[in-house]
Amino acid sequence: VQLQAFGGGLVQAGGSLRLSCAASGSALSINAMNWYRQAPGNKRELVAELTAVGTTDYADSVKGRFTISRDNAKSTVYLQMNSLKTEDTAVYYCNAVYLNTHGSPLISWGQGTQLTVSS
């Protein structure tokens, strides 16, 4: 599975932005698709998770502001980000946890997209 993330940019605090992660390739199943972020000097952290059965989970820092969703027809996962804060500034990465066509568990990462929130 290959992932391409896009949609980042520069936005003012309090604004909104939607990130997209388009998946391509073959897999037996995709167990979860997630969004992570990494700010300069920080470790990469999980922001939002969406499982195959539709359950979601969020980092405490984004609960109530971010929403992860998917469009199966487009093989795309989205991260809607509202009420953005300067501390949301980071490179955002999507990943997929899946079984390849041989049944082996794998993780793929997208290339990252930069979000900068200005005050």
Side-chain angles (χ1 to χ4, degrees):
V1 171
Q2 295 78 45
L3 303 176
Q4 184 171 11
F6 53 94
L10 175 63
V11 63
Q12 285 191 325
S16 299
L17 203 65
R18 188 179 77 165
L19 304 181
S20 301
C21 176
S24 60
S26 300
L28 284 181
S29 65
I30 295 180
N31 298 331
M33 290 192 72
N34 310 302
W35 284 98
Y36 284 74
R37 67 185 180 188
Q38 187 168 19
N42 291 357
K43 296 188 298 184
R44 191 172 296 188
E45 63 172 350
L46 178 64
V47 175
E49 176 185 33
L50 175 59
T51 70
V53 296
T55 57
T56 59
D57 198 13
Y58 299 91
D60 287 342
S61 59
V62 307
K63 281 181 180 176
R65 300 188 297 121
F66 289 12
T67 303
I68 188 170
S69 63
R70 66 184 173 211
D71 183 333
N72 290 331
K74 296 182 179 179
S75 299
T76 299
V77 171
Y78 303 100
L79 185 68
Q80 178 66 43
M81 304 180 292
N82 299 328
S83 303
L84 284 164
K85 304 176 181 180
T86 55
E87 51 263 45
D88 294 319
T89 295
V91 178
Y92 284 71
Y93 300 89
C94 59
N95 87 352
V97 181
Y98 66 101
L99 296 180
N100 69 5
T101 54
H102 301 289
S104 299
L106 292 173
I107 298 176
S108 284
W109 290 89
Q111 81 282 13
T113 184
Q114 174 73 46
L115 169 68
T116 302
V117 183
S118 63
S119 59

Short mmCIF file of all heavy atoms in Angstrom, two decimals, residues 15-43:
data_model
loop_
_atom_site.label_atom_id
_atom_site.label_comp_id
_atom_site.label_asym_id
_atom_site.label_seq_id
_atom_site.Cartn_x
_atom_site.Cartn_y
_atom_site.Cartn_z
N GLY A 15 -8.38 28.86 12.79
CA GLY A 15 -8.86 28.45 11.48
C GLY A 15 -9.00 26.95 11.35
O GLY A 15 -8.81 26.19 12.31
N SER A 16 -9.33 26.52 10.14
CA SER A 16 -9.57 25.11 9.85
C SER A 16 -8.81 24.69 8.61
O SER A 16 -8.50 25.52 7.74
CB SER A 16 -11.06 24.85 9.64
OG SER A 16 -11.82 25.17 10.78
N LEU A 17 -8.54 23.41 8.56
CA LEU A 17 -7.87 22.83 7.40
C LEU A 17 -8.22 21.36 7.35
O LEU A 17 -8.45 20.74 8.40
CB LEU A 17 -6.37 23.01 7.49
CG LEU A 17 -5.56 22.98 6.19
CD1 LEU A 17 -5.92 24.16 5.29
CD2 LEU A 17 -4.06 22.99 6.48
N ARG A 18 -8.24 20.80 6.16
CA ARG A 18 -8.46 19.37 6.03
C ARG A 18 -7.29 18.73 5.30
O ARG A 18 -6.93 19.14 4.20
CB ARG A 18 -9.76 19.08 5.27
CG ARG A 18 -10.12 17.59 5.29
CD ARG A 18 -11.42 17.31 4.56
NE ARG A 18 -11.27 17.32 3.12
CZ ARG A 18 -12.16 16.83 2.26
NH1 ARG A 18 -13.28 16.29 2.73
NH2 ARG A 18 -11.95 16.89 0.96
N LEU A 19 -6.73 17.71 5.94
CA LEU A 19 -5.68 16.92 5.31
C LEU A 19 -6.29 15.68 4.66
O LEU A 19 -7.30 15.16 5.14
CB LEU A 19 -4.64 16.48 6.35
CG LEU A 19 -3.98 17.58 7.17
CD1 LEU A 19 -2.96 16.96 8.13
CD2 LEU A 19 -3.32 18.60 6.27
N SER A 20 -5.66 15.24 3.60
CA SER A 20 -6.11 14.04 2.90
C SER A 20 -4.96 13.05 2.78
O SER A 20 -3.79 13.45 2.67
CB SER A 20 -6.60 14.39 1.49
OG SER A 20 -7.67 15.31 1.52
N CYS A 21 -5.30 11.79 2.80
CA CYS A 21 -4.31 10.73 2.63
C CYS A 21 -4.90 9.71 1.66
O CYS A 21 -5.85 9.01 2.01
CB CYS A 21 -3.99 10.08 3.96
SG CYS A 21 -2.85 8.68 3.85
N ALA A 22 -4.36 9.67 0.46
CA ALA A 22 -4.86 8.77 -0.57
C ALA A 22 -4.04 7.49 -0.59
O ALA A 22 -2.81 7.53 -0.63
CB ALA A 22 -4.80 9.46 -1.93
N ALA A 23 -4.73 6.37 -0.55
CA ALA A 23 -4.07 5.06 -0.56
C ALA A 23 -4.21 4.41 -1.92
O ALA A 23 -5.24 4.53 -2.59
CB ALA A 23 -4.69 4.17 0.52
N SER A 24 -3.16 3.70 -2.31
CA SER A 24 -3.19 2.94 -3.55
C SER A 24 -2.44 1.64 -3.33
O SER A 24 -1.68 1.51 -2.38
CB SER A 24 -2.58 3.74 -4.70
OG SER A 24 -1.23 4.05 -4.42
N GLY A 25 -2.68 0.68 -4.22
CA GLY A 25 -2.03 -0.61 -4.10
C GLY A 25 -2.99 -1.66 -3.56
O GLY A 25 -4.16 -1.39 -3.33
N SER A 26 -2.45 -2.86 -3.33
CA SER A 26 -3.28 -3.99 -2.94
C SER A 26 -2.97 -4.43 -1.52
O SER A 26 -1.82 -4.36 -1.08
CB SER A 26 -3.04 -5.15 -3.90
OG SER A 26 -3.36 -4.79 -5.23
N ALA A 27 -4.01 -4.89 -0.86
CA ALA A 27 -3.86 -5.43 0.48
C ALA A 27 -5.00 -6.39 0.74
O ALA A 27 -6.09 -6.22 0.18
CB ALA A 27 -3.87 -4.31 1.52
N LEU A 28 -4.75 -7.38 1.58
CA LEU A 28 -5.85 -8.25 1.99
C LEU A 28 -6.83 -7.49 2.85
O LEU A 28 -8.04 -7.65 2.73
CB LEU A 28 -5.30 -9.46 2.75
CG LEU A 28 -4.63 -10.55 1.93
CD1 LEU A 28 -4.16 -11.69 2.85
CD2 LEU A 28 -5.57 -11.10 0.86
N SER A 29 -6.29 -6.68 3.73
CA SER A 29 -7.13 -5.87 4.60
C SER A 29 -6.32 -4.72 5.15
O SER A 29 -5.11 -4.83 5.32
CB SER A 29 -7.70 -6.72 5.74
OG SER A 29 -6.66 -7.16 6.59
N ILE A 30 -7.00 -3.65 5.41
CA ILE A 30 -6.39 -2.50 6.10
C ILE A 30 -7.02 -2.44 7.47
O ILE A 30 -8.24 -2.25 7.58
CB ILE A 30 -6.59 -1.20 5.31
CG1 ILE A 30 -5.86 -1.27 3.97
CG2 ILE A 30 -6.08 -0.02 6.14
CD1 ILE A 30 -6.00 -0.04 3.12
N ASN A 31 -6.24 -2.66 8.49
CA ASN A 31 -6.76 -2.73 9.85
C ASN A 31 -7.00 -1.37 10.46
O ASN A 31 -7.91 -1.20 11.27
CB ASN A 31 -5.81 -3.54 10.72
CG ASN A 31 -5.68 -4.98 10.24
OD1 ASN A 31 -6.61 -5.53 9.65
ND2 ASN A 31 -4.52 -5.57 10.47
N ALA A 32 -6.17 -0.41 10.09
CA ALA A 32 -6.34 0.94 10.63
C ALA A 32 -5.59 1.93 9.75
O ALA A 32 -4.60 1.57 9.11
CB ALA A 32 -5.83 1.03 12.06
N MET A 33 -6.11 3.14 9.74
CA MET A 33 -5.36 4.24 9.12
C MET A 33 -5.30 5.36 10.14
O MET A 33 -6.30 5.64 10.82
CB MET A 33 -6.01 4.67 7.82
CG MET A 33 -5.85 3.62 6.73
SD MET A 33 -6.28 4.20 5.08
CE MET A 33 -4.91 5.31 4.73
N ASN A 34 -4.14 5.93 10.26
CA ASN A 34 -3.88 6.86 11.35
C ASN A 34 -3.21 8.13 10.84
O ASN A 34 -2.57 8.13 9.78
CB ASN A 34 -2.95 6.19 12.37
CG ASN A 34 -3.42 4.82 12.78
OD1 ASN A 34 -4.51 4.64 13.28
ND2 ASN A 34 -2.57 3.82 12.55
N TRP A 35 -3.35 9.16 11.63
CA TRP A 35 -2.59 10.38 11.41
C TRP A 35 -1.65 10.59 12.58
O TRP A 35 -2.06 10.49 13.74
CB TRP A 35 -3.51 11.59 11.27
CG TRP A 35 -4.20 11.69 9.97
CD1 TRP A 35 -5.48 11.28 9.67
CD2 TRP A 35 -3.67 12.23 8.75
NE1 TRP A 35 -5.76 11.53 8.34
CE2 TRP A 35 -4.67 12.13 7.77
CE3 TRP A 35 -2.45 12.80 8.40
CZ2 TRP A 35 -4.48 12.56 6.46
CZ3 TRP A 35 -2.26 13.24 7.11
CH2 TRP A 35 -3.27 13.11 6.15
N TYR A 36 -0.40 10.88 12.27
CA TYR A 36 0.61 11.24 13.26
C TYR A 36 1.10 12.64 12.94
O TYR A 36 0.88 13.16 11.84
CB TYR A 36 1.80 10.28 13.18
CG TYR A 36 1.58 8.92 13.77
CD1 TYR A 36 0.79 7.96 13.14
CD2 TYR A 36 2.19 8.56 14.98
CE1 TYR A 36 0.60 6.70 13.69
CE2 TYR A 36 2.01 7.29 15.53
CZ TYR A 36 1.21 6.38 14.87
OH TYR A 36 1.03 5.13 15.42
N ARG A 37 1.81 13.22 13.88
CA ARG A 37 2.46 14.49 13.61
C ARG A 37 3.79 14.55 14.36
O ARG A 37 3.97 13.88 15.37
CB ARG A 37 1.58 15.67 14.00
CG ARG A 37 1.33 15.83 15.48
CD ARG A 37 0.34 16.96 15.73
NE ARG A 37 0.07 17.15 17.15
CZ ARG A 37 -0.86 17.97 17.62
NH1 ARG A 37 -1.62 18.68 16.77
NH2 ARG A 37 -1.04 18.09 18.91
N GLN A 38 4.66 15.35 13.83
CA GLN A 38 5.96 15.54 14.46
C GLN A 38 6.36 17.00 14.34
O GLN A 38 6.54 17.51 13.23
CB GLN A 38 7.01 14.64 13.82
CG GLN A 38 8.34 14.66 14.53
CD GLN A 38 9.27 13.56 14.06
OE1 GLN A 38 9.10 12.97 12.99
NE2 GLN A 38 10.26 13.24 14.87
N ALA A 39 6.49 17.62 15.49
CA ALA A 39 6.95 19.00 15.55
C ALA A 39 8.47 18.99 15.73
O ALA A 39 9.04 18.01 16.23
CB ALA A 39 6.28 19.73 16.69
N PRO A 40 9.15 20.06 15.34
CA PRO A 40 10.61 20.11 15.49
C PRO A 40 11.04 19.83 16.92
O PRO A 40 10.51 20.43 17.87
CB PRO A 40 10.95 21.54 15.07
CG PRO A 40 9.85 21.94 14.15
CD PRO A 40 8.62 21.26 14.69
N GLY A 41 11.98 18.91 17.08
CA GLY A 41 12.49 18.58 18.39
C GLY A 41 11.63 17.63 19.19
O GLY A 41 12.00 17.26 20.31
N ASN A 42 10.50 17.24 18.63
CA ASN A 42 9.58 16.33 19.34
C ASN A 42 9.53 14.97 18.66
O ASN A 42 9.88 14.82 17.49
CB ASN A 42 8.18 16.92 19.38
CG ASN A 42 8.08 18.13 20.27
OD1 ASN A 42 9.05 18.52 20.92
ND2 ASN A 42 6.91 18.74 20.30
N LYS A 43 9.07 13.99 19.42
CA LYS A 43 8.85 12.68 18.85
C LYS A 43 7.57 12.69 18.02
O LYS A 43 6.68 13.51 18.24
CB LYS A 43 8.74 11.63 19.96
CG LYS A 43 9.99 11.44 20.78
CD LYS A 43 9.86 10.26 21.73
CE LYS A 43 8.75 10.44 22.72
NZ LYS A 43 8.69 9.32 23.69
#
